[in-house]
């Protein structure tokens, strides 16, 4: 609505939001007459407030992001302080102290020989970068046909055209095909609903079967989250990643650990791979790296992956203007200072049991079929019949999640995620500073809402 007059746009925030803001992954049609867009105006610790002054427990860390909690002005201030010295300079053939220091710090924290850090502006860019790096690496090492990537069903790896070929959620893929070729999928580690022909002990074999099926000389990488988010916090069975690692080695396939969510304390360690004791060739990350006080992501590469790029005239012909932005890097450093100072990884490890116990205590509610996850990253799966694990139909799930649960949980002051990219789940992923007081508050909302959901869905 460009006009020649520079008039300030008129209307309340609500009206302006409805008219101008294109919210991501949102049904804009849901906010027609009457229904308000939630407008969050303030955050402090584990809580946020909307524009009417209502307080909410942020049980999702603002989409798995604000790991150290809201309102840490000193972390944002580190960005402003950096701007006094150098507000921006590019890392295209230049370096600056914040990017150098952060790269060295990340390399020091990352497992094994993951020593080389390529900065991005977010998770999707990190995945996109890793996928291109895999192709380039294999071309440089004499395997130009190793271009395919194996991911898992229902996994979310981002929305750019490359990352989307790894994303295994049909509804997010279908409207945008064709995208970068080469994405193939294997069953995930949904232990509540194991795929036919597999048990927990041999799930990793699906990766080997797929590599054989595709042709080993065409497969470049396997990409997996330590705990898969979409579908509802699928943890790996014992030995799963060790076997995936062996398979990758056997077929000269790189293992990408997509830790956009699972790094930075979410599972009680700096990296999810640490928790499950495996060594990836690449880690992709974002979100909690800065606790999202500034947008930043990274790909962390092993010495082996970086090696072919270190000599002669070769360069990784890839980059983003803002990769390693000095203000964002300074914010990331301040964020990691908070982790160290407050022992946040230890705090999660000490309190995850209490978090889990609270969720387990909800199993007496008829609609709760499964409780799963790790660290501060858990899900409840909602089912129609607990004895048979029968799930809800698409229509029932729609009416359960969008017709009732999401709005009711929010109305009662709990932000969490009611999701049905797989079967219907409620996901909880609070800031890492949360403790028993917040778990009690979650229960005080979840219990009555789930009881009511049971009545509506199972006994109407
Ligand atoms: C595992 C994983 N990979 C990639 C992404 C994409 O990250 P972004 O939204 O920052 O592009 C996400 C986002 O949630 C994610 O969870």
């Amino acid at each position: 609505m460009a006009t020649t007059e520079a008039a300030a746009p008129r209307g309340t925030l609500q009206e302006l939001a409805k008219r101008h803001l294109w919210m991501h992954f949102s049904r804009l049609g849901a906010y027609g007459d009457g229904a308000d867009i939630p407008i969050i105006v303030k955050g402090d610790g584990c809580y946020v407030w909307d524009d009417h002054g209502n307080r909410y427990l942020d049980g999702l860390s603002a989409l798995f992001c604000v790991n150290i909690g809201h309102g840490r002005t000193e972390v944002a201030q580190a960005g402003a302080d950096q701007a006094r010295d150098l507000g921006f300079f590019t890392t295209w053939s230049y370096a600056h102290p914040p990017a150098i220091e952060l790269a060295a710090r990340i390399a020091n924290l990352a497992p094994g020989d993951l020593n080389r850090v390529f900065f991005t502006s977010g998770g999707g860019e990190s995945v996109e970068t890793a996928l291109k790096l895999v192709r380039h690496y294999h071309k440089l090492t004499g395997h130009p046909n190793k271009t395919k990537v194996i991911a898992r069903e229902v996994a979310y790896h981002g929305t750019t055209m490359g990352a989307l070929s790894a994303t295994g959620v049909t509804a997010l893929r279908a409207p945008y095909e064709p995208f970068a070729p080469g994405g193939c999928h294997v069953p995930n580690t949904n232990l509540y609903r194991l795929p036919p022909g597999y048990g927990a002990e041999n799930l990793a074999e699906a990766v080997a079967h797929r590599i054989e099926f595709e042709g080993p000389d065409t497969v470049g990488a396997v990409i997996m989250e330590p705990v898969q988010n979409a579908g509802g916090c699928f943890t790996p069975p014992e030995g799963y990643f060790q076997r995936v690692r062996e398979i990758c080695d056997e077929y000269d396939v790189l293992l990408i650990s997509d830790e956009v969510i699972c790094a930075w304390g979410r599972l009680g360690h700096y990296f999810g791979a640490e928790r499950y004791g495996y060594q990836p060739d690449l880690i992709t990350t974002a979100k909690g790296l800065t606790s999202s006080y500034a947008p930043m992501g990274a790909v962390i590469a092993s010495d082996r992956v970086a090696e072919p790029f270190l000599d002669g005239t070769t360069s990784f012909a890839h980059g983003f203007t803002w990769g390693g932005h000095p203000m964002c890097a300074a914010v990331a450093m301040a964020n990691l200072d908070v982790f160290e100072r407050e022992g946040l990884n230890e705090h999660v490890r000490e309190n995850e049991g209490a978090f889990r116990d609270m969720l387990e205590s909800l199993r007496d509610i008829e609609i709760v079929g499964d409780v799963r996850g790790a660290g501060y990253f858990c899900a409840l799966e909602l089912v129609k019949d607990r004895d048979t694990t029968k799930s809800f139909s698409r229509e029932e799930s729609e009416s359960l999640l969008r017709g009732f649960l999401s709005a009711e949980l929010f109305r009662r002051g709990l932000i969490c995620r009611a999701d049905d990219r797989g079967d219907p789940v409620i996901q909880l992923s609070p800031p890492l500073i949360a403790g028993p007081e917040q778990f009690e508050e979650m229960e005080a909302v979840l219990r009555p809402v789930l009881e009511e959901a049971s009545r509506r869905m199972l006994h109407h």
Side-chain angles (χ1 to χ4, degrees), residues 250-261:
E250 191 180 328
Y251 292 103
D252 187 22
V253 165
L254 298 176
L255 176 56
I256 307 170
S257 190
D258 186 356
E259 308 209 2
V260 169
I261 291 175

Side-chain angles (χ1 to χ4, degrees), residues 10 24 50 53 55 69 89 134 185 212 226 281 329 361 395 408 434:
R10 279 168 203 272
H24 297 204
D50 69 12
R55 190 184 88 149
F89 213 81
V134 163
H185 294 84
E212 287 289 352
D281 299 297
S361 78
E395 296 71 33
E408 188 58 14

Side-chain angles (χ1 to χ4, degrees), residues 64 122-125 127 156-159 225 229 258 260-261 286-287:
F64 321 103
E125 282 187 7
V127 170
Y156 181 84
H157 293 290
T159 51
E225 294 163 86
N229 172 39
D258 186 356
V260 169
I261 291 175
K287 296 189 189 263

Side-chain angles (χ1 to χ4, degrees), residues 163-208:
L164 201 50
S165 58
T167 287
V169 187
T170 307
L172 306 188
R173 292 160 57 91
Y176 312 107
E177 293 205 45
F179 21 79
C184 4
H185 294 84
V186 294
N188 54 47
T189 60
N190 181 353
L191 304 178
Y192 189 59
R193 300 174 186 285
L194 282 164
Y198 288 99
E201 70 299 335
N202 70 347
L203 263 177
E205 300 311 320
V207 176

